[in-house]
Amino acid sequence: MSRTAASNPILVEVRRGTVVESRHAGAIAVADAEGKLLLALGDVQQPIFPRSAVKTMQAIPLVESGAADAFGLNDRELAVACSSHSGDRVHLEAVKDLLAKAGLDESYLACGAHWPVSDRAMRELIEARRTPCPIHNNCSGKHAGMLAACAQLGFEPRGYERADHPLQVMIARIISETCAVALARDGMAIDGCSVPTWSLPLSALATGFARLGTGRGLPTARARSARRLLDACFAEPVLVAGEGRFDTIAMRALAPELFVKGGAEGVHCAALPNLGLGIALKIDDGAKRGTERALAELIAALLPKARGALAEQLDGEVLNWRGIKVGQVVAAPALLEAIAALDVERPALVKGARS
Amino acid sequence: MSRTAASNPILVEVRRGTVVESRHAGAIAVADAEGKLLLALGDVQQPIFPRSAVKTMQAIPLVESGAADAFGLNDRELAVACSSHSGDRVHLEAVKDLLAKAGLDESYLACGAHWPVSDRAMRELIEARRTPCPIHNNCSGKHAGMLAACAQLGFEPRGYERADHPLQVMIARIISETCAVALARDGMAIDGCSVPTWSLPLSALATGFARLGTGRGLPTARARSARRLLDACFAEPVLVAGEGRFDTIAMRALAPELFVKGGAEGVHCAALPNLGLGIALKIDDGAKRGTERALAELIAALLPKARGALAEQLDGEVLNWRGIKVGQVVAAPALLEAIAALDVERPALVKGARS
């Protein structure tokens, strides 16, 4: 699986003064639910790890199994099951509630611990002379959702994170079916939170997000499960990430026209249900500043009102430690040209999509 | 100054399982003091910002002006003037001592504030319910050194950070002379700590480090100043960076055969005095994990005993939140091939170099 250097185009430049100081290369796929590519910039066939970008797909069993109904889960608990959360109080409470409703507790979480993403939450822990627990892990909501699905399905909860556990086998099948792609066993690796992550091409991932957003190409029950999860994220965007973070800001302003979810190592995916499109993006070097700047540019081209909602992300101002503007993160020529060539009118409004 | 995408080779790969998940492209120059390139991988003529990698050059006036002698500065104070420090107590004390000996105090520091690089120091501040001050900025030692030079030279200390201040004009001339390259005014930008950073090619930067390390090609007084600064860093490597950090680990094990200094946005420079060589490296995307992995590989090829001292850096193990090994940061084929082609025997031991 070790391929030689993909020569993906530079998508984002970081300028200091008038000089380009750093560069982020990468690839972007925009596809419809039939797998038709409307944009393919860079190598969109090379397998990449979607990491946390597919948490909604990993949460499908939570709804499809009947767990969400049986345990009476609300939008906050469903949204946190799809989240890479900041570890603020609102997130921890939603994770605890989700576990409690399934008759479980934090001791079952196999995600490992890290300091909360939120500065405020981290400071509060330190001030209390405490260290982080698995519930502070940005993936604890996903793990709680997996555990609740196990509880409903009658699966042994211990070991739920292992690739050969029936829940992970089920999730792999869901990802494969949703993205219409076969998953290679030797393309599987272990994620930061210890569950499997399956590599697949950006083209397939974009198709999967077009399907998640529209329900097209999915079995009826799965389409319904996906819609319920997306609706929960649209209703509670702060649960999906946290204050000040890209996904929360974007969905707070643009839902239900945009679903968006980032993952580690420069992956970001989005669904634009009304346009019938899915987006999958990977910055080769894994830098979030590249990912978010490129995605903001693409979203603003597809959803004109995003230009206001994502003004700060599009501006990309770089300030130094005294607050002086010293540079800017900008979309590179290759990205701007690809977006200009994208016929935004062409993806006709999908009939029956929500507005 | 906006050039189109440099297509630099991939120097470092980040594997997860058996799949390459992320990639870092970049360029490396290895030169002698005459400017002869022994290795030029990627575009080593494109101007890059050296950022903190040239702090030793920025500290030359502190010694050359006579300030170091007049104020009786010790190795700790000279090393911290060349540092990107972690903000631990040892660093703050050295900065305070340096300022006090010059008759100044923290209120003169124009570097702005950020949380200490050191986790321990950050936790201590938070536990004390404090916020960071300019002295915690990783550049505060450099700024203290600049202020002490101003005090000795009779320059007005207020405004010492501005490009048109006589100290910054002097530093620009020193960088230009040391690296044997003209500095273009439109290639200047403002650094994170508010002083100017001047873009210059990696080839020139490598030459400059070969000269710093050997004294060759420098006026006698400057060669002596450079050696005094390097000797201070060799004597107090923890003052140059901090516990657990690359430059401290490398110099603690390999000084005086290696001087090494990193900068922001993926820049790293080194001098190998006994081999008469300088190294300058820039990862295009600015990622430190790429920079340090590539530099470790190159240093280990040039100084065989570095293979033990930098074993952890060369191993590049990626652990997840439960401590499970999930991947590895490895040198990419292009880097390994360039290093294999480098005739390590060719750069004959420079006569008179320290051993």
Side-chain angles (χ1 to χ4, degrees), chain A residues 16 21-23 46 51 110 190 194 265 282 284 289 320 322, chain B residues 16 21-23 46 51 110 190 194 265 282 284 289 320-322:
Chain A
R16 183 168 293 267
E21 178 166 34
S22 294
R23 296 166 171 78
Q46 178 169 13
R51 308 291 299 272
I190 304 303
S194 294
E265 292 293 333
K282 159 87 180 164
D284 292 348
R289 74 174 170 191
N320 78 0
R322 274 168 64 195
Chain B
R16 182 168 295 267
E21 178 166 34
S22 294
R23 296 166 172 78
Q46 178 170 15
R51 308 290 299 272
I190 304 303
S194 294
E265 292 292 333
K282 158 87 181 165
D284 292 349
R289 73 174 170 191
N320 79 358
W321 298 117
R322 274 168 66 195

PDB file of all heavy atoms in Angstrom, chain A residues 16 21-23 46 51 110 190 194 265 282 284 289 320 322, chain B residues 16 21-23 46 51 110 190 194 265 282 284 289 320-322:
ATOM      1  N   ARG A  16       3.506  35.246   4.298  1.00  0.00           N
ATOM      2  CA  ARG A  16       4.012  36.152   5.350  1.00  0.00           C
ATOM      3  C   ARG A  16       4.543  37.360   4.602  1.00  0.00           C
ATOM      4  O   ARG A  16       5.406  37.221   3.735  1.00  0.00           O
ATOM      5  CB  ARG A  16       5.102  35.457   6.171  1.00  0.00           C
ATOM      6  CG  ARG A  16       5.647  36.309   7.340  1.00  0.00           C
ATOM      7  CD  ARG A  16       6.509  35.472   8.277  1.00  0.00           C
ATOM      8  NE  ARG A  16       5.696  34.489   8.959  1.00  0.00           N
ATOM      9  CZ  ARG A  16       5.126  34.672  10.170  1.00  0.00           C
ATOM     10  NH1 ARG A  16       5.331  35.788  10.840  1.00  0.00           N
ATOM     11  NH2 ARG A  16       4.379  33.730  10.691  1.00  0.00           N
ATOM     12  N   GLU A  21       5.205  31.580   2.438  1.00  0.00           N
ATOM     13  CA  GLU A  21       6.098  30.939   3.411  1.00  0.00           C
ATOM     14  C   GLU A  21       5.905  29.429   3.440  1.00  0.00           C
ATOM     15  O   GLU A  21       6.868  28.676   3.540  1.00  0.00           O
ATOM     16  CB  GLU A  21       5.842  31.506   4.812  1.00  0.00           C
ATOM     17  CG  GLU A  21       6.711  30.839   5.880  1.00  0.00           C
ATOM     18  CD  GLU A  21       6.728  31.583   7.203  1.00  0.00           C
ATOM     19  OE1 GLU A  21       5.707  32.176   7.569  1.00  0.00           O
ATOM     20  OE2 GLU A  21       7.795  31.560   7.858  1.00  0.00           O
ATOM     21  N   SER A  22       4.653  28.974   3.375  1.00  0.00           N
ATOM     22  CA  SER A  22       4.371  27.537   3.452  1.00  0.00           C
ATOM     23  C   SER A  22       3.257  27.187   2.482  1.00  0.00           C
ATOM     24  O   SER A  22       2.514  28.069   2.029  1.00  0.00           O
ATOM     25  CB  SER A  22       3.986  27.148   4.885  1.00  0.00           C
ATOM     26  OG  SER A  22       5.093  27.313   5.761  1.00  0.00           O
ATOM     27  N   ARG A  23       3.164  25.905   2.162  1.00  0.00           N
ATOM     28  CA  ARG A  23       2.231  25.434   1.139  1.00  0.00           C
ATOM     29  C   ARG A  23       1.589  24.131   1.580  1.00  0.00           C
ATOM     30  O   ARG A  23       2.270  23.290   2.170  1.00  0.00           O
ATOM     31  CB  ARG A  23       2.987  25.129  -0.158  1.00  0.00           C
ATOM     32  CG  ARG A  23       3.636  26.302  -0.803  1.00  0.00           C
ATOM     33  CD  ARG A  23       4.638  25.873  -1.859  1.00  0.00           C
ATOM     34  NE  ARG A  23       5.081  27.049  -2.603  1.00  0.00           N
ATOM     35  CZ  ARG A  23       5.973  27.925  -2.145  1.00  0.00           C
ATOM     36  NH1 ARG A  23       6.554  27.739  -0.973  1.00  0.00           N
ATOM     37  NH2 ARG A  23       6.294  28.983  -2.872  1.00  0.00           N
ATOM     38  N   GLN A  46      -6.553   7.587  -4.798  1.00  0.00           N
ATOM     39  CA  GLN A  46      -5.614   7.031  -3.825  1.00  0.00           C
ATOM     40  C   GLN A  46      -6.322   6.835  -2.474  1.00  0.00           C
ATOM     41  O   GLN A  46      -6.980   7.748  -1.985  1.00  0.00           O
ATOM     42  CB  GLN A  46      -4.453   8.012  -3.664  1.00  0.00           C
ATOM     43  CG  GLN A  46      -3.436   7.565  -2.639  1.00  0.00           C
ATOM     44  CD  GLN A  46      -2.180   8.418  -2.691  1.00  0.00           C
ATOM     45  OE1 GLN A  46      -2.159   9.468  -3.317  1.00  0.00           O
ATOM     46  NE2 GLN A  46      -1.135   7.962  -2.030  1.00  0.00           N
ATOM     47  N   ARG A  51     -10.532   8.810   9.025  1.00  0.00           N
ATOM     48  CA  ARG A  51     -10.472   9.138  10.453  1.00  0.00           C
ATOM     49  C   ARG A  51     -11.841   9.578  10.978  1.00  0.00           C
ATOM     50  O   ARG A  51     -12.854   8.963  10.650  1.00  0.00           O
ATOM     51  CB  ARG A  51      -9.353  10.172  10.703  1.00  0.00           C
ATOM     52  CG  ARG A  51      -7.971   9.789  10.111  1.00  0.00           C
ATOM     53  CD  ARG A  51      -7.327   8.617  10.809  1.00  0.00           C
ATOM     54  NE  ARG A  51      -7.080   8.887  12.209  1.00  0.00           N
ATOM     55  CZ  ARG A  51      -5.995   9.461  12.720  1.00  0.00           C
ATOM     56  NH1 ARG A  51      -5.002   9.795  11.912  1.00  0.00           N
ATOM     57  NH2 ARG A  51      -5.844   9.651  14.014  1.00  0.00           N
ATOM     58  N   ALA A 110     -13.128   2.772  25.633  1.00  0.00           N
ATOM     59  CA  ALA A 110     -11.809   2.238  25.254  1.00  0.00           C
ATOM     60  C   ALA A 110     -11.010   3.226  24.413  1.00  0.00           C
ATOM     61  O   ALA A 110     -10.076   2.842  23.711  1.00  0.00           O
ATOM     62  CB  ALA A 110     -11.997   0.931  24.483  1.00  0.00           C
ATOM     63  N   ILE A 190      -5.328   1.360  12.822  1.00  0.00           N
ATOM     64  CA  ILE A 190      -5.953   1.703  14.100  1.00  0.00           C
ATOM     65  C   ILE A 190      -5.956   3.220  14.274  1.00  0.00           C
ATOM     66  O   ILE A 190      -4.939   3.885  14.090  1.00  0.00           O
ATOM     67  CB  ILE A 190      -5.193   1.026  15.269  1.00  0.00           C
ATOM     68  CG1 ILE A 190      -5.133  -0.485  15.052  1.00  0.00           C
ATOM     69  CG2 ILE A 190      -5.857   1.355  16.606  1.00  0.00           C
ATOM     70  CD1 ILE A 190      -6.487  -1.146  14.891  1.00  0.00           C
ATOM     71  N   SER A 194      -8.370   4.025  18.987  1.00  0.00           N
ATOM     72  CA  SER A 194      -8.255   2.558  19.048  1.00  0.00           C
ATOM     73  C   SER A 194      -9.284   1.771  18.247  1.00  0.00           C
ATOM     74  O   SER A 194      -9.209   0.537  18.217  1.00  0.00           O
ATOM     75  CB  SER A 194      -8.218   2.036  20.495  1.00  0.00           C
ATOM     76  OG  SER A 194      -7.027   2.469  21.123  1.00  0.00           O
ATOM     77  N   GLU A 265      -5.452  14.502  10.573  1.00  0.00           N
ATOM     78  CA  GLU A 265      -4.543  14.402   9.422  1.00  0.00           C
ATOM     79  C   GLU A 265      -5.105  15.041   8.146  1.00  0.00           C
ATOM     80  O   GLU A 265      -4.907  14.541   7.037  1.00  0.00           O
ATOM     81  CB  GLU A 265      -4.132  12.943   9.166  1.00  0.00           C
ATOM     82  CG  GLU A 265      -3.238  12.363  10.259  1.00  0.00           C
ATOM     83  CD  GLU A 265      -1.857  13.005  10.331  1.00  0.00           C
ATOM     84  OE1 GLU A 265      -1.384  13.503   9.298  1.00  0.00           O
ATOM     85  OE2 GLU A 265      -1.278  13.019  11.442  1.00  0.00           O
ATOM     86  N   LYS A 282      -8.598  15.980   1.384  1.00  0.00           N
ATOM     87  CA  LYS A 282      -7.459  15.577   2.231  1.00  0.00           C
ATOM     88  C   LYS A 282      -6.256  16.436   1.879  1.00  0.00           C
ATOM     89  O   LYS A 282      -5.864  16.524   0.709  1.00  0.00           O
ATOM     90  CB  LYS A 282      -7.131  14.092   1.987  1.00  0.00           C
ATOM     91  CG  LYS A 282      -5.724  13.640   2.368  1.00  0.00           C
ATOM     92  CD  LYS A 282      -5.548  13.215   3.807  1.00  0.00           C
ATOM     93  CE  LYS A 282      -4.101  12.772   4.067  1.00  0.00           C
ATOM     94  NZ  LYS A 282      -3.772  12.707   5.492  1.00  0.00           N
ATOM     95  N   ASP A 284      -2.394  16.686   2.050  1.00  0.00           N
ATOM     96  CA  ASP A 284      -1.384  15.624   2.116  1.00  0.00           C
ATOM     97  C   ASP A 284      -0.609  15.597   3.424  1.00  0.00           C
ATOM     98  O   ASP A 284      -0.245  14.524   3.912  1.00  0.00           O
ATOM     99  CB  ASP A 284      -0.351  15.803   0.980  1.00  0.00           C
ATOM    100  CG  ASP A 284      -0.951  15.556  -0.384  1.00  0.00           C
ATOM    101  OD1 ASP A 284      -2.085  15.036  -0.461  1.00  0.00           O
ATOM    102  OD2 ASP A 284      -0.285  15.894  -1.390  1.00  0.00           O
ATOM    103  N   ARG A 289      -5.075  23.826   9.094  1.00  0.00           N
ATOM    104  CA  ARG A 289      -5.240  25.178   8.544  1.00  0.00           C
ATOM    105  C   ARG A 289      -5.409  25.120   7.032  1.00  0.00           C
ATOM    106  O   ARG A 289      -6.109  25.945   6.445  1.00  0.00           O
ATOM    107  CB  ARG A 289      -4.071  26.094   8.929  1.00  0.00           C
ATOM    108  CG  ARG A 289      -2.788  25.820   8.198  1.00  0.00           C
ATOM    109  CD  ARG A 289      -1.690  26.859   8.507  1.00  0.00           C
ATOM    110  NE  ARG A 289      -0.434  26.369   7.957  1.00  0.00           N
ATOM    111  CZ  ARG A 289       0.749  26.893   8.200  1.00  0.00           C
ATOM    112  NH1 ARG A 289       0.861  27.934   8.998  1.00  0.00           N
ATOM    113  NH2 ARG A 289       1.835  26.387   7.657  1.00  0.00           N
ATOM    114  N   ASN A 320       0.390  37.879  14.752  1.00  0.00           N
ATOM    115  CA  ASN A 320       1.490  37.428  15.600  1.00  0.00           C
ATOM    116  C   ASN A 320       1.133  37.639  17.072  1.00  0.00           C
ATOM    117  O   ASN A 320      -0.005  37.964  17.404  1.00  0.00           O
ATOM    118  CB  ASN A 320       2.820  38.069  15.178  1.00  0.00           C
ATOM    119  CG  ASN A 320       2.987  39.503  15.651  1.00  0.00           C
ATOM    120  OD1 ASN A 320       2.122  40.072  16.307  1.00  0.00           O
ATOM    121  ND2 ASN A 320       4.124  40.074  15.316  1.00  0.00           N
ATOM    122  N   ARG A 322       1.644  39.807  19.152  1.00  0.00           N
ATOM    123  CA  ARG A 322       1.170  41.120  19.588  1.00  0.00           C
ATOM    124  C   ARG A 322      -0.091  41.518  18.834  1.00  0.00           C
ATOM    125  O   ARG A 322      -0.527  42.664  18.886  1.00  0.00           O
ATOM    126  CB  ARG A 322       2.258  42.170  19.376  1.00  0.00           C
ATOM    127  CG  ARG A 322       3.226  42.231  20.560  1.00  0.00           C
ATOM    128  CD  ARG A 322       4.447  43.052  20.231  1.00  0.00           C
ATOM    129  NE  ARG A 322       4.149  44.451  19.977  1.00  0.00           N
ATOM    130  CZ  ARG A 322       5.011  45.290  19.400  1.00  0.00           C
ATOM    131  NH1 ARG A 322       6.200  44.847  19.002  1.00  0.00           N
ATOM    132  NH2 ARG A 322       4.702  46.538  19.208  1.00  0.00           N
TER     133      ARG A 322
ATOM    134  N   ARG B  16       0.377   4.874   8.729  1.00  0.00           N
ATOM    135  CA  ARG B  16      -0.554   4.318   9.710  1.00  0.00           C
ATOM    136  C   ARG B  16      -0.817   2.909   9.222  1.00  0.00           C
ATOM    137  O   ARG B  16      -1.251   2.717   8.086  1.00  0.00           O
ATOM    138  CB  ARG B  16      -1.831   5.163   9.782  1.00  0.00           C
ATOM    139  CG  ARG B  16      -2.852   4.675  10.835  1.00  0.00           C
ATOM    140  CD  ARG B  16      -3.966   5.693  11.070  1.00  0.00           C
ATOM    141  NE  ARG B  16      -3.438   6.902  11.661  1.00  0.00           N
ATOM    142  CZ  ARG B  16      -3.394   7.139  12.985  1.00  0.00           C
ATOM    143  NH1 ARG B  16      -3.885   6.264  13.846  1.00  0.00           N
ATOM    144  NH2 ARG B  16      -2.875   8.247  13.441  1.00  0.00           N
ATOM    145  N   GLU B  21      -0.184   7.672   5.305  1.00  0.00           N
ATOM    146  CA  GLU B  21      -1.344   8.529   5.585  1.00  0.00           C
ATOM    147  C   GLU B  21      -1.079   9.983   5.215  1.00  0.00           C
ATOM    148  O   GLU B  21      -1.953  10.652   4.680  1.00  0.00           O
ATOM    149  CB  GLU B  21      -1.702   8.448   7.079  1.00  0.00           C
ATOM    150  CG  GLU B  21      -2.872   9.361   7.448  1.00  0.00           C
ATOM    151  CD  GLU B  21      -3.470   9.069   8.809  1.00  0.00           C
ATOM    152  OE1 GLU B  21      -2.723   8.678   9.712  1.00  0.00           O
ATOM    153  OE2 GLU B  21      -4.694   9.223   8.958  1.00  0.00           O
ATOM    154  N   SER B  22       0.121  10.477   5.515  1.00  0.00           N
ATOM    155  CA  SER B  22       0.442  11.884   5.242  1.00  0.00           C
ATOM    156  C   SER B  22       1.880  11.981   4.735  1.00  0.00           C
ATOM    157  O   SER B  22       2.677  11.055   4.928  1.00  0.00           O
ATOM    158  CB  SER B  22       0.250  12.733   6.502  1.00  0.00           C
ATOM    159  OG  SER B  22      -1.111  12.766   6.879  1.00  0.00           O
ATOM    160  N   ARG B  23       2.161  13.107   4.094  1.00  0.00           N
ATOM    161  CA  ARG B  23       3.450  13.287   3.436  1.00  0.00           C
ATOM    162  C   ARG B  23       3.960  14.700   3.660  1.00  0.00           C
ATOM    163  O   ARG B  23       3.164  15.635   3.633  1.00  0.00           O
ATOM    164  CB  ARG B  23       3.290  13.111   1.921  1.00  0.00           C
ATOM    165  CG  ARG B  23       2.872  11.754   1.484  1.00  0.00           C
ATOM    166  CD  ARG B  23       2.398  11.754   0.035  1.00  0.00           C
ATOM    167  NE  ARG B  23       2.190  10.385  -0.412  1.00  0.00           N
ATOM    168  CZ  ARG B  23       1.109   9.658  -0.098  1.00  0.00           C
ATOM    169  NH1 ARG B  23       0.145  10.190   0.638  1.00  0.00           N
ATOM    170  NH2 ARG B  23       1.003   8.415  -0.513  1.00  0.00           N
ATOM    171  N   GLN B  46      14.991  28.929  -3.830  1.00  0.00           N
ATOM    172  CA  GLN B  46      13.795  29.701  -3.524  1.00  0.00           C
ATOM    173  C   GLN B  46      13.920  30.345  -2.142  1.00  0.00           C
ATOM    174  O   GLN B  46      14.279  29.665  -1.175  1.00  0.00           O
ATOM    175  CB  GLN B  46      12.601  28.747  -3.541  1.00  0.00           C
ATOM    176  CG  GLN B  46      11.302  29.420  -3.179  1.00  0.00           C
ATOM    177  CD  GLN B  46      10.114  28.521  -3.451  1.00  0.00           C
ATOM    178  OE1 GLN B  46      10.274  27.321  -3.650  1.00  0.00           O
ATOM    179  NE2 GLN B  46       8.936  29.097  -3.475  1.00  0.00           N
ATOM    180  N   ARG B  51      13.136  32.356  10.084  1.00  0.00           N
ATOM    181  CA  ARG B  51      12.491  32.484  11.393  1.00  0.00           C
ATOM    182  C   ARG B  51      13.511  32.306  12.535  1.00  0.00           C
ATOM    183  O   ARG B  51      14.606  32.861  12.439  1.00  0.00           O
ATOM    184  CB  ARG B  51      11.299  31.505  11.489  1.00  0.00           C
ATOM    185  CG  ARG B  51      10.301  31.623  10.299  1.00  0.00           C
ATOM    186  CD  ARG B  51       9.511  32.906  10.324  1.00  0.00           C
ATOM    187  NE  ARG B  51       8.716  33.026  11.521  1.00  0.00           N
ATOM    188  CZ  ARG B  51       7.473  32.562  11.698  1.00  0.00           C
ATOM    189  NH1 ARG B  51       6.881  31.916  10.699  1.00  0.00           N
ATOM    190  NH2 ARG B  51       6.806  32.762  12.824  1.00  0.00           N
ATOM    191  N   ALA B 110       9.344  43.415  23.576  1.00  0.00           N
ATOM    192  CA  ALA B 110       8.319  43.725  22.572  1.00  0.00           C
ATOM    193  C   ALA B 110       7.857  42.469  21.836  1.00  0.00           C
ATOM    194  O   ALA B 110       7.300  42.556  20.744  1.00  0.00           O
ATOM    195  CB  ALA B 110       8.882  44.738  21.570  1.00  0.00           C
ATOM    196  N   ILE B 190       7.337  40.239   8.990  1.00  0.00           N
ATOM    197  CA  ILE B 190       7.398  40.357  10.447  1.00  0.00           C
ATOM    198  C   ILE B 190       7.227  38.972  11.071  1.00  0.00           C
ATOM    199  O   ILE B 190       6.335  38.213  10.715  1.00  0.00           O
ATOM    200  CB  ILE B 190       6.291  41.312  10.946  1.00  0.00           C
ATOM    201  CG1 ILE B 190       6.430  42.672  10.258  1.00  0.00           C
ATOM    202  CG2 ILE B 190       6.355  41.465  12.467  1.00  0.00           C
ATOM    203  CD1 ILE B 190       7.771  43.334  10.445  1.00  0.00           C
ATOM    204  N   SER B 194       7.528  39.839  16.346  1.00  0.00           N
ATOM    205  CA  SER B 194       7.505  41.243  15.894  1.00  0.00           C
ATOM    206  C   SER B 194       8.815  41.806  15.355  1.00  0.00           C
ATOM    207  O   SER B 194       8.836  42.958  14.922  1.00  0.00           O
ATOM    208  CB  SER B 194       6.941  42.191  16.965  1.00  0.00           C
ATOM    209  OG  SER B 194       5.569  41.901  17.185  1.00  0.00           O
ATOM    210  N   GLU B 265       7.519  27.091  11.201  1.00  0.00           N
ATOM    211  CA  GLU B 265       7.140  26.768   9.827  1.00  0.00           C
ATOM    212  C   GLU B 265       8.115  25.806   9.138  1.00  0.00           C
ATOM    213  O   GLU B 265       8.395  25.920   7.942  1.00  0.00           O
ATOM    214  CB  GLU B 265       6.954  28.036   8.992  1.00  0.00           C
ATOM    215  CG  GLU B 265       5.746  28.868   9.408  1.00  0.00           C
ATOM    216  CD  GLU B 265       4.387  28.193   9.121  1.00  0.00           C
ATOM    217  OE1 GLU B 265       4.331  27.373   8.188  1.00  0.00           O
ATOM    218  OE2 GLU B 265       3.420  28.500   9.840  1.00  0.00           O
ATOM    219  N   LYS B 282      13.904  23.034   4.956  1.00  0.00           N
ATOM    220  CA  LYS B 282      12.557  23.616   5.122  1.00  0.00           C
ATOM    221  C   LYS B 282      11.534  22.606   4.606  1.00  0.00           C
ATOM    222  O   LYS B 282      11.624  22.127   3.475  1.00  0.00           O
ATOM    223  CB  LYS B 282      12.445  24.915   4.330  1.00  0.00           C
ATOM    224  CG  LYS B 282      11.037  25.371   3.948  1.00  0.00           C
ATOM    225  CD  LYS B 282      10.344  26.211   4.993  1.00  0.00           C
ATOM    226  CE  LYS B 282       8.933  26.605   4.516  1.00  0.00           C
ATOM    227  NZ  LYS B 282       8.081  27.116   5.584  1.00  0.00           N
ATOM    228  N   ASP B 284       7.904  22.167   3.317  1.00  0.00           N
ATOM    229  CA  ASP B 284       7.024  23.127   2.634  1.00  0.00           C
ATOM    230  C   ASP B 284       5.802  23.510   3.452  1.00  0.00           C
ATOM    231  O   ASP B 284       5.341  24.651   3.394  1.00  0.00           O
ATOM    232  CB  ASP B 284       6.515  22.533   1.307  1.00  0.00           C
ATOM    233  CG  ASP B 284       7.617  22.371   0.279  1.00  0.00           C
ATOM    234  OD1 ASP B 284       8.729  22.905   0.511  1.00  0.00           O
ATOM    235  OD2 ASP B 284       7.375  21.711  -0.749  1.00  0.00           O
ATOM    236  N   ARG B 289       7.123  17.769  12.676  1.00  0.00           N
ATOM    237  CA  ARG B 289       7.401  16.322  12.695  1.00  0.00           C
ATOM    238  C   ARG B 289       8.163  15.913  11.431  1.00  0.00           C
ATOM    239  O   ARG B 289       8.970  14.988  11.452  1.00  0.00           O
ATOM    240  CB  ARG B 289       6.117  15.503  12.852  1.00  0.00           C
ATOM    241  CG  ARG B 289       5.246  15.456  11.623  1.00  0.00           C
ATOM    242  CD  ARG B 289       4.055  14.507  11.782  1.00  0.00           C
ATOM    243  NE  ARG B 289       3.146  14.708  10.666  1.00  0.00           N
ATOM    244  CZ  ARG B 289       1.930  14.225  10.584  1.00  0.00           C
ATOM    245  NH1 ARG B 289       1.444  13.494  11.547  1.00  0.00           N
ATOM    246  NH2 ARG B 289       1.171  14.466   9.531  1.00  0.00           N
ATOM    247  N   ASN B 320      -1.060   5.863  19.791  1.00  0.00           N
ATOM    248  CA  ASN B 320      -2.374   6.476  19.958  1.00  0.00           C
ATOM    249  C   ASN B 320      -2.643   6.759  21.428  1.00  0.00           C
ATOM    250  O   ASN B 320      -1.760   6.628  22.277  1.00  0.00           O
ATOM    251  CB  ASN B 320      -3.460   5.648  19.253  1.00  0.00           C
ATOM    252  CG  ASN B 320      -3.897   4.434  20.051  1.00  0.00           C
ATOM    253  OD1 ASN B 320      -3.387   4.149  21.133  1.00  0.00           O
ATOM    254  ND2 ASN B 320      -4.848   3.710  19.500  1.00  0.00           N
ATOM    255  N   TRP B 321      -3.876   7.181  21.737  1.00  0.00           N
ATOM    256  CA  TRP B 321      -4.179   7.659  23.084  1.00  0.00           C
ATOM    257  C   TRP B 321      -4.143   6.559  24.136  1.00  0.00           C
ATOM    258  O   TRP B 321      -4.221   6.847  25.327  1.00  0.00           O
ATOM    259  CB  TRP B 321      -5.523   8.388  23.103  1.00  0.00           C
ATOM    260  CG  TRP B 321      -5.506   9.601  22.233  1.00  0.00           C
ATOM    261  CD1 TRP B 321      -6.270   9.822  21.119  1.00  0.00           C
ATOM    262  CD2 TRP B 321      -4.663  10.756  22.364  1.00  0.00           C
ATOM    263  NE1 TRP B 321      -5.950  11.042  20.560  1.00  0.00           N
ATOM    264  CE2 TRP B 321      -4.974  11.622  21.297  1.00  0.00           C
ATOM    265  CE3 TRP B 321      -3.673  11.130  23.279  1.00  0.00           C
ATOM    266  CZ2 TRP B 321      -4.330  12.851  21.129  1.00  0.00           C
ATOM    267  CZ3 TRP B 321      -3.024  12.345  23.101  1.00  0.00           C
ATOM    268  CH2 TRP B 321      -3.359  13.192  22.039  1.00  0.00           C
ATOM    269  N   ARG B 322      -4.068   5.314  23.710  1.00  0.00           N
ATOM    270  CA  ARG B 322      -3.894   4.232  24.678  1.00  0.00           C
ATOM    271  C   ARG B 322      -2.471   3.701  24.652  1.00  0.00           C
ATOM    272  O   ARG B 322      -2.175   2.666  25.231  1.00  0.00           O
ATOM    273  CB  ARG B 322      -4.887   3.098  24.395  1.00  0.00           C
ATOM    274  CG  ARG B 322      -6.248   3.335  25.063  1.00  0.00           C
ATOM    275  CD  ARG B 322      -7.282   2.385  24.546  1.00  0.00           C
ATOM    276  NE  ARG B 322      -7.034   1.004  24.897  1.00  0.00           N
ATOM    277  CZ  ARG B 322      -7.645  -0.027  24.310  1.00  0.00           C
ATOM    278  NH1 ARG B 322      -8.532   0.189  23.337  1.00  0.00           N
ATOM    279  NH2 ARG B 322      -7.383  -1.251  24.665  1.00  0.00           N
TER     280      ARG B 322
END
